[in-house]
Amino acid sequence: MFRISLTIEAGLQRAFSGLARTTAARPLLLSLSTMVVLVALGFGVFNVEVETDVLKLWVDDSTSLVNDMEFYEDNYATSRTDSFLLTAKPGKSLLSKKAFDELSDLQAWINALEYSHPGFARPIRLENLCYKVVDAEENYAPCFQISPLDCFKEGVLSVVGGANNTQYTELYDPRLSYNDPSFNFAANFSRKYMKSSCNPWYNVGVPYRLIFGGTSFEPDGTMSGLRAMRTVMATFDESRLAKVGMRYTDWLPGGSADAPTDVLLCSAGPTLEDCSCTHKFSIVEAVKYTCKPADVEQTEQCCQQFMKPVQEHPCAGYLFNRDPDVNTIGTFVLKRCGLPPVKPFKARCSKHADGETYPTPFTFPVLNSTQCGAISAGIGACVAGIGGNYPQAVNCCVNLEKFSQGGCVCSNCDATCGMMVDQAKSLCGGYQIENKSSCPAPPAPVYANTTEACAAKYVTFLTQIGKYNAGEELSAGIAMCATAVALDVTDKCHCLGAATGVNVTMLASINGACAAKGGTTYAGLAECVAPSSLTATCTPLFADYGPKCTAAAAARVTGVDVVSTATACCAAAVPFGSSNCSCASPPLGTMDSFYQVATGCAALGVTVPVPACVTAQIQTCGVNAAEMSTKCTAAVAAPTDLVAGAACCTAAQPVGAANCPCMLPDNVDNTLKLTFGTIATRCNSVGVAALAVNIPSCVATLMPSPVPATPTTPAPTQLYQIPRDKNVAVTEVQALAIIKGWEKAWLDAIPAKAATYTHIDVAYIAGRSLEDTIKEASQGAYALIAVGYVLVVSYIALFFMFSSTNGACGVNGSAPGVASGVAAALVIMLATLSALGISGLLVSAGVLFTALTLQVVPFLALGLGINDYFVMANYVAAAVAAAAEGDTATDVLIRAMKLAGGSITLSSVTNLAAFLLGAITPIPAIRNFSIQVAMTVICNYAVALLVYPSLLYFDIKRHLAGGRDCFVLPIKTQQPAEERSPSSFSSAGGLARVVLSSLPLRMLVLAAYAGFFAFCASGISRVKLGLDLQDVVPDDDYLHAYATRTINNYGTYGVYVVTEGVAFESTMEEQRALEHAFASTVPSVDVLEQSVNYARYYTENTEGMYSSGLVCSSELDLYRDKWKEDLDLCGVNLGGVDPNGYRNCAKTCLAHKIQSYAGAANSNSKRCVFAAMKNSTQYTCKCPYRAIVKPANFTAGFPTFLRSGIRGSVSNALLTLAPGSATTIGSSRSLYYVNDVFDVEAKVAHIKAAREVIAKSALVKDKGANVFAFDYSLYALNEQYVNIEETTMFALGMSLIAAFFCMLVFILHPGTCLIVTALIALVEVELYGLIAWSGLKLNAVVMVNLIMSMGIAVEFLSHIARAFMLARGTRSERAAHAVNTLGSATVNGTLTTFLGILPIAFSYYTYFVNYFFLQYVLILAVCLLQGVVVLPVVLSLVGPDAVDLAGYMEEEEEKRISTGGKSPVAKVVGTAI
């Protein structure tokens, strides 16, 4: 191997000698032709277009991520976002109404901002191009927004059309305003409040961390600190906007106000033949009543004021059949409210004998007594089932359903059986069981008259009371009490005389028993006067009583004739009360007014009889008033709880309707009346008709009179304005120009707007911001480039003017001189232009121009290019100094090129290898940069070999001819050759000889170096990953403020898991399993928010359709839903009494009939799991299976589902259909939220875990699906960090190996190569540790800089090592000679490279300053230290023996002569190999 190196070296020296001869023969031709070629190649720069797309530049394209991103963009990327980040001004708080006022003003300003685009007559506002999650057919659906205002009524700002658009503005009416006097941020703004209230209008949950940043909370969950809050808006991107067009809505007058409607938007009295009114109904109407479109606990307002009227509405069945979205949500909200399901208008499915439902009609045959008896044997299970045996409860429900469907309940069921059916029916909620009350009544017996009928009923009553007294308390007691009601209340048999045989005393005595035992009560013995007779009797009495008592009331007010009018009133009231006239129907006067008269007369000593109906009403009022007091006390304690407030108003309604405050006892201060008046006034101020409370006159007269308002003539208003939509078609090019124009309009205007706020600071970013920043950074820093070249040229001139090569200061004549150095620097400019031109020609091959190209490459090319000239100049200076008398310029050039050519080739090859290895980075911007720098190395090498020798040849020739260097002042004559130093670094060389000849000094140098190395290495563990936006943009740029506040306060991202390439209809279980695994096992994923996806919504839709009879059980499969496996249905929001007790829990479990009845669609293994808790009387129920349509019909209902309101629209946005199909799913995506991933290490950990979970899922492993997680900010921009540490180590290792073999050829000894390689490895360790100590982070830029530093390190060390191997003497002498010979070139190369990159330090972009200037200064400093200080010391201690190259070449020459002129090189090489 050693001889191969010598052979190659000899060959190179011969080659460079030949090149020197050729140059000397035709210097102008060679140099000028080279420069012409360089100029021609430089025209390639006109083929350049700078890339500004951040994703195309900075996303790792070595993995599947690029394909994933392309798929996502082709199928789902339809929007551009604009974001505003708010922080508090000094001394202010974001948790204040003033701050929210300014936020509201900001959003209103953005919405109202108008932009005029060339060629468009109408101004453009956000609403004309905004992105919409629910992209309905009409244009006026609300725009997408994520905003703190969505926590309050003020979130209505996102609604297109404002107040005109009542269809959507009313959705915000139930929300609390932050300006409400009862709301206090410090007391009421809590985690619970945000969870329930901070949602967009379509009520899909958003984590509060996405909106509020830097939060802190008190132990009770109240927010105590808030550093930032964020508002996000979005527009369509150009492709989507071109498809839908610019959207405009004009609002036309709606005429007179619409007639009042009910909860389904129908006028009063719809019939089943006319339910078209429900076509206007949307499920969002439920939001107005605080209903939540999910299977969660619902509010009392939702259940009582909305769902109950819906369930009872005659058109509910029609609506549920027509709208699957309403059906799905309505079904489980009704279930949560404890209300019966809506009966389908036209059920599609029929139950068959096997218990399943089929789309074919079926009529259960009526069973005979024998068949009923056979089934009734199984009804015995009901006793055990009701008592606590769940398996028996299932059998009970199954058998009772068969028993009921066969008609046995009516034909073969006695009283005991009937009682059992009644009890079991309430338990078996999911089964179709009819009790005896539903049986057709037997033909009524015909009696001659009422007296005969009463006598017959009384006989039955006596039989029943006998059984009751004999011990059959329950069954007989129920029948006994029912008959008593008929005798007493219905027929009034006791009023017909003795002929009926009715014993009045016996009849009256059983009322208490009925209430205590049977649960049935009746009013007691009814009055025997018929209502018609009562009215006839009381009408003349009222004619006397009414006017007299009215006059008495007026006299009390005026104080005139009070006693006489009161006396007359009381006299008239006595017969009116004695005749029970207050109980007449229709009523004569009001009960409360009569009771007030009776009370007043008692004070005068006159007793007025009070009828039982009035007394009963007073008792009812007492009960209702107590209920009102409880509910309203709770409402006062929770002023922001809308549900509690609604409950208070609901409880107050019957109190006001019956005028109870006028009858109930009150104190002298009228506390009861005034309290009720305050409650009623507050309820009425809400403006919701369903919560209005009547205020009796006795209360109204005590309430303070409101201040009368200034009379005005109100402007006519409409409840609804008529929208007229218009879409304006645009091309993609036009759409992009419009979007960017609108973004620029608000970017230009917002600084002045933000300056008006006193409580909030506004940072912001638009969809175009990053692109604008990259584009601006891509503008060449031409002034700085010029400065860099001036600095380098000036240094060259000064160096060659004042260096010792030229003798005394200003002496001319020595070579190389100033002119050739300056010319070399100018030629480097041409080489740089040529390199950029070649890169431009490679654009078609994917080499892109970026900001790095124009901001960094010219400086780096200059610094690296001039190094080769200094190496060659040193060798020329040495050759000139050693020139003998009679040597020609050609001889001197050959002598210099023989040695310089190898050194320059070594540095160029290693630099080229390092830069090309940098191109292995998967980041396009860095890869392109590496290739472009590699092109500069190639062009600089060409200049070094083909142009520098020509320049130096002329310089040598001038020197030998005694000519002057035109850049040197003629002060003194030329020194004699023997007085000139052969080295330009003689002083340093002398210092090197002193140090290298002293062992203690060498040890001291190594000890100092060891300390420096330890310091650098200690930083390795501190190295962080990343490149944040605030590191890239200038400090005074608006993006810097946004980036800094974002990174400090927000770590939440919305991530999509995309699935394609699988049969969706047969993999629902695997899809849901992956969703659950991703949310529950991947770090930082918000499992509480679960996932938003089509599978979840379509499953719920299917189950709702099944419950309504629109999908049959025979058409369903059951799949195991991982989300439900551990969900205890008896422990989640059931409420009520003993929700976990056996009966309640069993009832809950049995309601999931499809999982509790083992039929054809449901194997025995797919059942709910009902179990008792250990050591407890409580129970659990888990129903992990979900119903989904069988694969054959899986997507048959998709078109309807996707058009069915919010859930369908959201699902539509979360999937794509296969090309040409309206029913087959092509791909789907599930939305998750990832929280609190602030640093890159946490992001990388999440990405790796997410991919591992996906790869291990059954959906991927078993079903072959292509699944990937994706998000631009979290995944795309952080992909480079997933394996960057391993990639960096691999690339550095490969670079080190390549450097070793490159140096092996030129350094001529493997031992020296190993030493140099080891020191280069130490350089990389030092530079890696300095990343942390210099405040940088490991990223693709730093990785490439480290790889490129390998080439610089080789250049700095290899020249010294090569000179060491070619020198003569001891190790110390050879080391000193190497420093003396090439130390100057190394230092000059360092200084010129530094000067070349120095202008980068003044770049406007701190990113270039930190990651290029600073890091390259560190690289230069460390490499210089290693090359000029450490390497000579090490070589002086352990360096190999010198190589006798001259002797080897003489030996080879002798062999060549001895073999007759044939070179033996081939033999030598062959032998060595």
Side-chain angles (χ1 to χ4, degrees), residues 177-502:
S177 170
Y178 64 79
N179 278 315
D180 190 290
S182 65
F183 181 79
N184 181 278
F185 278 101
N188 306 126
F189 204 59
S190 62
R191 280 195 179 98
K192 182 179 180 181
Y193 180 91
M194 290 188 291
K195 178 67 176 176
S196 63
S197 302
C198 297
N199 292 318
W201 67 271
Y202 47 88
N203 251 12
V204 173
V206 174
Y208 74 86
R209 293 180 181 88
L210 202 63
I211 306 172
F212 302 103
T215 56
S216 56
F217 296 89
E218 298 292 345
D220 64 356
T222 303
M223 186 181 290
S224 58
L226 175 63
R227 293 199 303 265
M229 54 188 186
R230 176 166 56 185
T231 289
V232 180
M233 300 176 179
T235 64
F236 282 127
D237 67 3
E238 62 272 20
S239 60
R240 180 64 179 170
L241 189 60
K243 289 180 181 178
V244 302
M246 298 288 294
R247 294 175 162 183
Y248 290 89
T249 300
D250 296 319
W251 299 91
L252 308 178
S256 59
D258 294 337
T261 59
D262 58 26
V263 290
L264 296 188
L265 305 183
C266 294
S267 300
T271 64
L272 292 179
E273 288 75 29
D274 181 23
C275 286
S276 59
C277 55
T278 62
H279 290 194
K280 297 182 295 183
F281 180 85
S282 169
I283 195 62
V284 296
E285 294 290 327
V287 179
K288 301 176 186 177
Y289 293 84
T290 69
C291 295
K292 300 172 185 177
D295 191 6
V296 297
E297 185 179 10
Q298 303 294 333
T299 65
E300 185 175 348
Q301 182 185 5
C302 167
C303 295
Q304 296 302 315
Q305 297 181 24
F306 184 74
M307 293 310 300
K308 190 172 187 296
V310 166
Q311 194 273 336
E312 297 170 349
H313 200 286
C315 287
Y318 174 87
L319 174 62
F320 274 50
N321 274 36
R322 184 188 65 81
D323 192 332
D325 202 24
V326 171
N327 190 348
T328 302
I329 298 173
T331 297
F332 55 63
V333 173
L334 284 168
K335 180 180 70 176
R336 284 290 185 173
C337 289
L339 297 170
V342 169
K343 292 186 178 180
F345 179 57
K346 292 181 180 178
R348 173 177 169 269
C349 303
S350 298
K351 182 180 291 294
H352 286 227
D354 61 359
E356 297 295 329
T357 59
Y358 296 86
T360 54
F362 181 80
T363 302
F364 277 89
V366 177
L367 304 179
N368 57 37
S369 298
T370 302
Q371 293 169 319
C372 288
I375 297 176
S376 65
I379 297 180
C382 292
V383 176
I386 295 172
N389 188 322
Y390 180 76
Q392 292 300 315
V394 175
N395 293 331
C396 166
C397 296
V398 171
N399 286 316
L400 274 184
E401 185 175 59
K402 295 178 181 178
F403 195 71
S404 173
Q405 295 291 334
C408 300
V409 171
C410 298
S411 62
N412 288 69
C413 190
D414 58 16
T416 301
C417 169
M419 177 194 65
M420 187 64 67
V421 171
D422 287 339
Q423 292 189 358
K425 177 179 172 61
S426 63
L427 184 70
C428 306
Y431 294 78
Q432 295 184 8
I433 299 173
E434 302 293 339
N435 56 12
K436 293 187 74 67
S437 63
S438 62
C439 297
V446 179
Y447 299 105
N449 49 51
T450 306
T451 300
E452 184 179 337
C454 284
K457 289 181 181 180
Y458 188 66
V459 172
T460 302
F461 171 73
L462 293 176
T463 302
Q464 293 166 338
I465 201 171
K467 290 183 177 182
Y468 173 76
N469 291 330
E472 299 181 23
E473 294 188 359
L474 186 58
S475 59
I478 292 173
M480 171 190 73
C481 295
T483 305
V485 171
L487 290 169
D488 174 36
V489 179
T490 307
D491 297 333
K492 301 188 186 304
C493 296
H494 62 285
C495 300
L496 300 180
T500 62
V502 174

Side-chain angles (χ1 to χ4, degrees), residues 746-799:
W746 75 255
L747 283 172
D748 290 343
I750 196 169
K753 181 64 179 176
T756 64
Y757 297 134
T758 59
H759 284 73
I760 61 174
D761 277 323
V762 183
Y764 46 89
I765 186 173
R768 63 177 293 160
S769 294
L770 290 178
E771 186 176 343
D772 287 347
T773 299
I774 294 174
K775 187 175 182 180
E776 183 180 346
S778 300
Q779 305 299 318
Y782 302 113
L784 292 179
I785 293 174
V787 170
Y789 276 87
V790 168
L791 287 173
V792 172
V793 169
S794 300
Y795 176 82
I796 291 171
L798 292 172
F799 175 79

Side-chain angles (χ1 to χ4, degrees), residues 589-876:
T590 61
M591 290 187 185
D592 66 292
S593 62
F594 176 80
Y595 184 70
Q596 291 180 66
V597 168
T599 304
C601 291
L604 295 176
V606 179
T607 301
V608 177
V610 178
C613 64
V614 176
T615 303
Q617 181 60 55
I618 293 173
Q619 293 173 348
T620 302
C621 280
V623 173
N624 291 341
E627 177 72 7
M628 178 191 72
S629 177
T630 301
K631 295 290 178 65
C632 293
T633 299
V636 171
T640 61
D641 190 338
L642 299 181
V643 176
C648 169
C649 295
T650 302
Q653 287 174 330
V655 177
N659 294 335
C660 292
C662 304
M663 291 190 285
L664 292 175
D666 203 352
N667 57 27
V668 294
D669 296 324
N670 295 306
T671 302
L672 174 64
K673 296 180 179 65
L674 290 174
T675 300
F676 177 81
T678 301
I679 293 170
T681 301
R682 184 63 186 274
C683 292
N684 294 339
S685 68
V686 175
V688 178
L691 298 180
V693 178
N694 175 60
I695 301 179
S697 59
C698 68
V699 174
T701 57
L702 298 174
M703 297 297 291
S705 300
V707 178
T710 303
T712 57
T713 303
T717 59
Q718 290 79 36
L719 290 178
Y720 189 80
Q721 303 289 329
I722 300 174
R724 182 177 65 186
D725 290 341
K726 181 180 180 181
N727 290 29
V728 179
V730 291
T731 65
E732 279 200 29
V733 174
Q734 289 174 319
L736 182 59
I738 289 170
I739 295 168
K740 286 188 173 182
W742 179 81
E743 290 172 350
K744 186 176 187 303
W746 75 255
L747 283 172
D748 290 343
I750 196 169
K753 181 64 179 176
T756 64
Y757 297 134
T758 59
H759 284 73
I760 61 174
D761 277 323
V762 183
Y764 46 89
I765 186 173
R768 63 177 293 160
S769 294
L770 290 178
E771 186 176 343
D772 287 347
T773 299
I774 294 174
K775 187 175 182 180
E776 183 180 346
S778 300
Q779 305 299 318
Y782 302 113
L784 292 179
I785 293 174
V787 170
Y789 276 87
V790 168
L791 287 173
V792 172
V793 169
S794 300
Y795 176 82
I796 291 171
L798 292 172
F799 175 79
F800 286 106
M801 185 181 296
F802 297 109
S803 69
S804 59
T805 302
N806 288 319
C809 178
V811 175
N812 83 71
S814 181
V818 176
S820 59
V822 172
L826 297 177
V827 173
I828 290 173
M829 295 176 62
L830 191 60
T832 303
L833 176 66
S834 177
L836 295 177
I838 296 172
S839 300
L841 296 174
L842 293 176
V843 166
S844 58
V847 178
L848 305 176
F849 270 54
T850 69
L852 300 180
T853 307
L854 300 177
Q855 293 278 357
V856 178
V857 171
F859 303 105
L860 200 55
L862 175 61
L864 294 175
I866 203 65
N867 291 353
D868 291 338
Y869 180 78
F870 275 108
V871 171
M872 188 171 289
N874 261 36
Y875 280 108
V876 168

Side-chain angles (χ1 to χ4, degrees), residues 21 285 504 606 684 967 1147 1231 1280 1293 1439:
R21 290 189 185 93
E285 294 290 327
V504 177
V606 179
N684 294 339
F967 281 83
K1147 179 179 179 180
L1231 172 62
Q1280 61 174 293

Side-chain angles (χ1 to χ4, degrees), residues 835 839 847-849 853 857 927-936:
S839 300
V847 178
L848 305 176
F849 270 54
T853 307
V857 171
R927 181 171 62 245
N928 296 330
F929 170 73
S930 301
I931 293 172
Q932 288 156 356
V933 177
M935 293 303 103
T936 68

